[in-house]
Amino acid sequence: MRFTDGLWESRNGYKLHRAHSLWEWRAEKNQVHFMVPCTEIRSLRDTIAGPVLHFTITAPKADILAVKVYHFTGKKECGPYFDLDVSYRDMEVCEMEQEITVTNGRMKAVVRKTGDFGIAFYFDGRFLTKCGEKGTAYVTDAEYEADKLCDYNGRNGRSSQNENYIREMLSLDVGEYIYGLGERFTSCTRNGQSVDCWNRDGGSNGNQAYKNIPFYLSSKSYGVFVNTPARVGFEVANVSVRHVEIAVQEEELEYMVIGGSEPKEVLSNYTALTGRTPVPPAWTYGLWLSTSWMPDSDAQITLDTIDKMKEYDIPLSVFHFDARWMDDFKCCDFVWSKRFGDAKKLLDAIHERGVKVCVWINPYISQESYLFREGKDNGYFLKTKDGDVWQSDNWMSGIAIVDFTNPEAVRWYQSKLGALLDMGVDALKTDFGERIPTNVVYFDGSDPAKMHNYYPYLYNQAVYELIQEKKGEGCVFSRSATAGTQKFPFNWGGDNEASYISMAESLRGGLSLCQSGYGYWAHDISGFCRTATPDLYKRWVQFGLLSTHSRLHGEQSYRAPWYFDEESCRVLKAFTNLKCRLMPYLYSGSVQVLEEGVPLMRAMMLEFPQCPTSLHLERQYMLGSDLLAAPIFNEEGQAEFFLPGNGCWTNYLDGEILEGGKWYRRNYDYFHMPLFVRPGTILPVGAEEDTPVYDYADGVTFQLYEIPEAFEKDCRVYNTSGEPVLKLNVKRMGENITLELQGQAGHVFVQLMHVNDIRCDGEVRREKCENGIRFEMREGILEFALQS
């Protein structure tokens, strides 16, 4: 939202009442309050008209300071509110001659007492950002008066839109970059962008987003969270390259400045506030295959497809039934189309083949569905101001929308889904949730404008909690989201298309979402719209199986590999096998997502924040802390990628060793791509390649890559319940290495990459293998020296 025209002028139609200078302040329990007139007070007359802004500073959690800016306070409070884990803390407040300091742990705010009002934020003494220089403002239309246009003198007032905003401006430094704000498909670096945080069903090729998160992450290692589900406008180094400008059409604005020693710690502190992501079931990491939108899909085609995947020896974990599992015009009645015959029998047959089942749902009920009458008669839908059911033809004919603020409506909706879960469905794809109107009335009186963005939280919460209750585990596969929805894993990237440019857009969206507090992300492999060429299909399969979750899905054709070519079948098998072998590594990363709040799929700047090149990379990423993936985005098979740091990286797929700190350009066939292991990595590789669910500790191989001469690190392996079962500690001093293994259950191996041999006092039966030597490790301590 832009309110100014260049440096000197306001935009036509707007008037800015800027915070001027501190008038008075007071410290109360758990908060400090500041009163700031929007004009210079030179005489009594300056105190009797015009806005005054108030600021409060609180400490909602460790290393976080919250600032609330407000104007009128007489408005009735109306939710919804984000579900935050807050525990307001006492702060240290110190008054000096020129400033007031407010300290919470390592975070400190310095408030100016004289001159222009402003607040500067510091973490461990390091400057982060500041507001001030009259950047904070109450913005009105040009005809605003302090008496809210009450014309008690009988004057003929001019027309007024009566729009009121709170505007804040937070400073940016030279060379500072901003990321996040949800799943956005534009450049990951938000600088220069105007971001409207308002959920839309806009596809993946524009600046709209299904998942708007009012949180941004700075390359300077701090974050800003705007604590409202209302529409928020962000102008990121756009109106002014010196600022992020934040605006809400409200009488108050609260934002929280979140500190951290590095960007990953900032995300950890942010997710501690808004919610951590549970570890998804291990089977969700395997390959998902969809019916797509094909109208002829039926029981026989489904079973034939699953059986053919088995014939090609391609491990399949989940079969997904998309929208056409219900009859046309009936969405959503949750009744299987007659095309599928006895649905319970079909699901049993799928389970007998070792495959889980997911079905598509949304929160819209067509007037043609038998559920419409139930929902209408019981008041389970959103209503108009006249008390009628709000309806639209924008999706199915005469749809109504379930009101998840009504507890009875939630139980009713869950009862319908519960019947599917009892039948044998394992997971639910919670589609839509963005087309939520604002001219409606909610059961609990929620503000419909705030509910537009917040609706996906309630929708996914209702479905996820039902699955957890029924199954004891599970997931939703959701498209829309807001802050906190990361508690209900996981999300996919919406409607992309079959093109390389859309594949790159999809990656940017995933990295952006994971920079916004989300641990997991998937996408429609080979594109939802149109049908990929065999070349694109195979390249997207590489990328898709090296994402946290992997689903083949589309609109106009089946996405099984044999519809493309025989080589596609072999490529899909190779990369699905690869992901299964990497499960000990991926699952340990998932525990880190839960415990530390950092994503499993990471933009390069999260792992290498001190590397200037990494701040701009958006066509490669880290999968966990130690694997770098660079998908290929062209028909020539050419990859262009950057390896940070000073050590040597090893391509996991072909063994090539490349020096860090350089750009590379390489060509790869469909069975290879840049998948590089970071120097100093202990990579646990599993013994199974045909399923993502197995005993990760039994037969695991710890691969040691480019271990530096002074080194100590632990590597843990977890079981499929997320419990630690195995730990290898590696120490190196010069040529001497000590291995300590704890918790052995079954065979455990160690592979020293690019090592020819070792000297050891004890008997160690080692064998030469590709790119190194390998030996079995027993519980306890093993000491040896490297031999060149």
Side-chain angles (χ1 to χ4, degrees), residues 1-3 11-17 51 71-72 75 137-146 148-149 158-167 231 247-252:
M1 300 176 187
R2 299 188 177 200
F3 304 111
R11 282 185 66 194
N12 285 343
Y14 291 108
K15 184 174 182 179
L16 278 70
H17 304 269
H71 177 232
F72 289 144
K75 185 178 178 181
Y138 183 60
V139 183
T140 69
D141 59 45
E143 298 304 319
Y144 169 86
E145 291 179 337
K148 296 287 286 184
L149 303 178
R158 298 180 182 179
S159 61
S160 170
Q161 298 177 18
N162 201 22
E163 293 180 353
N164 308 307
Y165 300 84
I166 299 289
R167 192 277 304 272
R231 190 175 201 156
V248 295
Q249 193 174 353
E250 301 281 337
E251 291 290 328
E252 69 177 40

Side-chain angles (χ1 to χ4, degrees), residues 79 125 155 271 317 335 338 343 357 361 371 499 750 755 773 775 785:
R155 295 170 296 178
T271 53
S317 293
V335 176
K338 293 179 181 178
V357 175
I361 65 170
L371 294 181
S499 67
V750 173
V755 172
I773 62 172
F775 53 85

Side-chain angles (χ1 to χ4, degrees), residues 118-137:
I119 308 172
F121 299 92
Y122 297 83
F123 179 82
D124 267 348
R126 173 173 55 87
F127 172 72
L128 304 178
T129 187
K130 65 181 179 179
C131 68
E133 299 174 351
K134 300 184 179 68
T136 313

